[in-house]
């Protein structure tokens, strides 16, 4: 079975916009929907939705692109993509768990824009701006403050830190959305990082292929290719987001040697069903995008109504296990609140164990033993790799949070 993806054309209030303008990423950014009046021109808003705009004032910015707004049904308030974009009155209610900094990023900040939580990699916040502010955003303390590009001082501080820690092998560009930067700004960041000898991998985390796929131009892809290996980490949550426009953007990357991986979030009433997850995963894999993570929604402010239970997520994963190709299977993970890092979940198929053997019952009911060997030997002549390993795992030992 081959998948068919539909082209997105201007409609509603944007029907008179030329296709040339519509497919210009800067036009999409400049004509964002930002308030109730803007959304009311696209959607038939319910009274409950209208109250969401009022109650969310001052809590978190509202913004979406015309392209992404038109993917949702204009008259269905329960449309999954509408729920991602439109504020809800529940955002202002106290929830079971509400945290301003659910990932404990502030205590892992070594400069104002650099987080060093894991030994071998750092997160570089190059902008706080997004073209769409998803209602489940985990970084509400930072995003949406209109600091489009970090200052020269913040840039230098972060580069100096990376240079001085040779155990850091990977830099993840995040924010905000790094692909909201201009080509020149992004080129500058990648150029400086590639000059650092010990940096092996650069990741760019972006939702632009989802919400503004016209950003993925041939010029942008050429920049990413120039500084290889650069991995594009994108964020599709629902099959309705995978349009022909998005598919062309993704294939433009992989056709030019830029690997793309997807990180999705399980969202209550939006995608928390195995049928939806498999649909996203199979379509992305067909486009040569690896489904990478399936995250538990973080308990950031105003997200309680969007979070699922771990039990619900585990059941979804168990339904997928064995019925979905391993290539298409995302890794179910949760970020331990307050900076505990990622932990992964897999279905437990072990039904008994002893020092000699373990007994399993597979996804399709097959029961069998795995018998342990009697002698375990460690590999010899590994001094070179031990030295490399120690350098990597101790990279964070001397990291001192700023401030």
């Amino acid at each position: 079975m081959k998948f068919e993806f539909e082209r997105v054309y201007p409609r509603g209030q944007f029907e008179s916009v030329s296709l040339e303008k519509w497919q210009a990423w800067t036009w999409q950014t400049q004509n964002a929907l930002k308030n109730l009046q803007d959304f009311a021109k696209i959607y038939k808003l319910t009274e409950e939705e209208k109250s969401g705009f009022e109650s969310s004032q001052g809590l978190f910015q509202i913004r979406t692109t015309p392209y992404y707004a038109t993917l949702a049904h204009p008259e269905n308030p329960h449309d999954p993509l509408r729920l991602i974009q439109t504020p809800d009155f529940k955002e202002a209610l106290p929830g079971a768990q509400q945290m301003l900094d659910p990932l404990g990023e502030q205590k892992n900040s070594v400069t104002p824009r650099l987080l060093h939580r894991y030994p071998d990699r750092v997160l570089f916040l190059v902008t706080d701006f997004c073209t769409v502010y998803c209602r489940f955003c985990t970084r509400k303390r930072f995003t949406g403050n209109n600091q489009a590009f970090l200052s020269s001082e913040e840039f230098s501080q972060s580069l100096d830190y990376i240079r001085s820690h040779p155990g850091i092998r990977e830099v993840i560009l995040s924010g905000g959305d790094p692909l909201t930067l201009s080509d020149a700004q992004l080129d500058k960041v990648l150029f400086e990082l590639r000059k650092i000898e010990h940096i092996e991998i650069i990741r760019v985390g972006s939702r632009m292929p989802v919400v503004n796929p016209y950003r993925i131009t041939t010029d942008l892809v050429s920049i990413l290719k120039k500084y290889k290996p650069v991995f594009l980490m994108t964020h599709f949550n629902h099959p309705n987001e995978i349009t022909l426009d998005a598919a062309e953007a993704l294939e433009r990357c992989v056709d030019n040697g830029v690997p793309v991986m997807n990180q999705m979030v399980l969202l209550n009433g939006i995608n928390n069903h195995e049928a939806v997850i498999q649909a996203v995963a199979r379509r992305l894999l067909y486009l040569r995008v690896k489904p990478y993570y399936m995250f538990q929604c973080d308990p950031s402010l105003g997200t309680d109504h969007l979070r699922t239970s771990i039990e619900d997520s585990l059941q979804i994963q168990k339904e997928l296990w064995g019925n979905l190709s391993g290539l298409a299977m995302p890794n179910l993970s949760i970020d331990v609140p307050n900076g505990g890092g990622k932990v992964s979940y897999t279905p437990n198929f072990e039904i008994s164990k002893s020092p000699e053997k373990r007994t399993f019952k597979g996804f399709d009911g097959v029961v069998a033993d795995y018998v342990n060997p009697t002698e375990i030997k460690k590999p010899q002549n590994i001094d070179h790799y031990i030295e490399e390993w120690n350098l990597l795992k101790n990279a964070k030992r001397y990291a001192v949070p700023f401030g």
Side-chain angles (χ1 to χ4, degrees):
M1 171 185 171
K2 293 184 178 179
F3 298 107
E4 294 182 1
F5 306 106
E6 294 185 8
R7 175 78 65 203
V8 179
Y9 293 101
R11 67 167 174 82
Q13 73 170 105
F14 301 109
E15 196 167 10
S16 61
V17 175
S18 70
L19 197 58
E20 182 181 10
K21 277 187 177 179
W22 179 260
Q23 294 180 346
W25 77 273
T26 49
W27 183 91
Q28 289 285 338
T29 302
Q30 292 161 3
N31 289 273
L33 285 64
K34 303 175 186 176
N35 52 45
L36 186 153
Q37 291 73 28
D38 291 340
F39 277 72
K41 293 175 183 176
I42 293 283
Y43 304 136
K44 183 179 179 181
L45 295 175
T46 65
E47 291 304 314
E48 191 174 81
E49 284 180 308
K50 291 176 183 177
S51 71
F53 284 90
E54 183 178 345
S55 60
S56 65
Q57 288 292 321
L59 297 177
F60 188 51
Q61 275 206 35
I62 300 167
R63 187 183 187 96
T64 193
T65 58
Y67 164 87
Y68 195 52
T70 61
L71 299 188
H73 196 285
E75 296 185 2
N76 179 9
H78 303 293
D79 182 281
L81 305 192
R82 193 154 148 176
L83 296 175
I84 288 174
Q85 303 172 75
T86 309
D88 192 298
F89 75 92
K90 298 184 186 75
E91 292 180 23
L93 301 177
Q97 190 176 21
Q98 304 257 7
M99 303 176 73
L100 182 61
D101 182 18
L103 305 186
E105 291 185 333
Q106 287 177 302
K107 70 181 183 183
N108 287 298
S109 297
V110 290
T111 79
R113 292 298 191 108
L114 198 70
L115 309 177
H116 194 177
R117 184 191 302 162
Y118 301 99
D120 70 327
R121 53 207 182 275
V122 291
L123 190 75
F124 196 177
L125 304 176
V126 293
T127 178
D128 82 330
F129 179 74
C130 291
T131 52
V132 171
Y133 290 118
C134 306
R135 306 322 298 172
F136 57 87
C137 179
T138 193
R139 205 169 282 145
K140 291 179 179 179
R141 64 177 178 81
F142 176 78
T143 51
N145 292 312
N146 297 317
Q147 295 175 327
F149 189 51
L150 71 172
S151 69
S152 297
E153 182 181 3
E154 291 168 335
F155 191 37
S156 296
Q157 285 176 336
S158 299
L159 289 174
D160 287 344
Y161 180 88
I162 296 170
R163 290 189 194 103
S164 65
H165 289 73
I168 296 173
R169 306 297 175 154
E170 186 172 339
V171 178
I172 304 162
L173 302 186
S174 187
D177 194 318
L179 294 190
T180 61
L181 300 179
S182 68
D183 285 356
Q185 289 171 325
L186 186 63
D187 192 286
K188 177 182 178 181
V189 174
L190 294 174
F191 174 76
E192 292 296 336
L193 290 174
R194 268 289 162 245
K195 287 198 301 185
I196 302 174
E197 184 62 29
H198 55 266
I199 296 304
E200 299 165 1
I201 302 294
I202 299 172
R203 291 193 229 174
V204 178
S206 176
R207 204 148 193 260
M208 289 295 252
V210 184
V211 302
N212 193 354
Y214 313 118
R215 175 64 183 105
I216 314 302
T217 63
T218 53
D219 287 344
L220 173 67
V221 171
S222 294
I223 292 171
L224 299 178
K225 185 177 181 179
K226 180 169 60 170
Y227 297 108
K228 65 182 182 181
V230 176
F231 286 70
L232 179 61
M233 317 301 293
T234 192
H235 184 170
F236 288 85
N237 287 319
H238 197 279
N240 292 358
E241 296 173 327
I242 310 175
T243 65
L244 182 57
D245 308 67
E248 289 174 346
L250 295 171
E251 295 210 301
R252 190 171 296 124
C253 290
V254 295
D255 283 347
N256 287 279
V258 179
V260 185
M261 305 181 82
N262 191 65
Q263 303 180 147
M264 70 186 309
V265 177
L266 286 167
L267 297 166
N268 193 25
I270 293 173
N271 64 2
N272 58 324
H273 193 283
E274 56 273 12
V276 179
I277 303 304
Q278 66 84 28
V280 178
R282 289 173 55 230
R283 284 156 179 77
L284 289 175
L285 192 61
Y286 181 76
L287 297 169
R288 292 168 289 163
V289 175
K290 173 69 179 88
Y292 181 39
Y293 273 124
M294 179 168 64
F295 280 119
Q296 197 71 14
C297 185
D298 296 315
S300 56
L301 294 177
T303 63
D304 212 60
H305 63 292
L306 293 174
R307 293 197 292 120
T308 63
S309 67
I310 292 177
E311 289 73 21
D312 187 35
S313 303
L314 281 167
Q315 184 57 38
I316 291 168
Q317 190 200 41
K318 194 161 189 177
E319 287 294 323
L320 294 171
W321 204 274
N323 291 306
L324 188 65
S325 163
L327 284 173
M329 193 74 186
N331 179 10
L332 175 60
S333 293
I334 181 171
D335 265 298
V336 177
N338 203 29
K342 294 181 183 65
V343 294
S344 294
Y345 284 95
T346 55
N348 184 12
F349 296 105
E350 186 178 86
I351 57 177
S352 68
K353 66 179 179 179
S354 70
E356 293 77 28
K357 68 177 183 179
R358 296 188 180 219
T359 303
F360 297 90
K361 183 177 182 179
F363 81 99
D364 55 356
V366 173
V367 176
D369 295 334
Y370 183 89
V371 179
N372 286 328
T374 56
E375 184 181 4
I376 305 296
K377 295 187 293 185
K378 297 298 181 185
Q380 302 299 307
N381 303 318
I382 59 169
D383 292 349
H384 172 73
Y385 302 107
I386 290 290
E387 182 181 349
E388 180 181 307
W389 170 238
N390 286 334
L391 179 63
L392 181 147
K393 72 178 183 178
N394 292 323
K396 191 171 181 276
R397 180 172 295 177
Y398 305 107
V400 178
F402 78 95

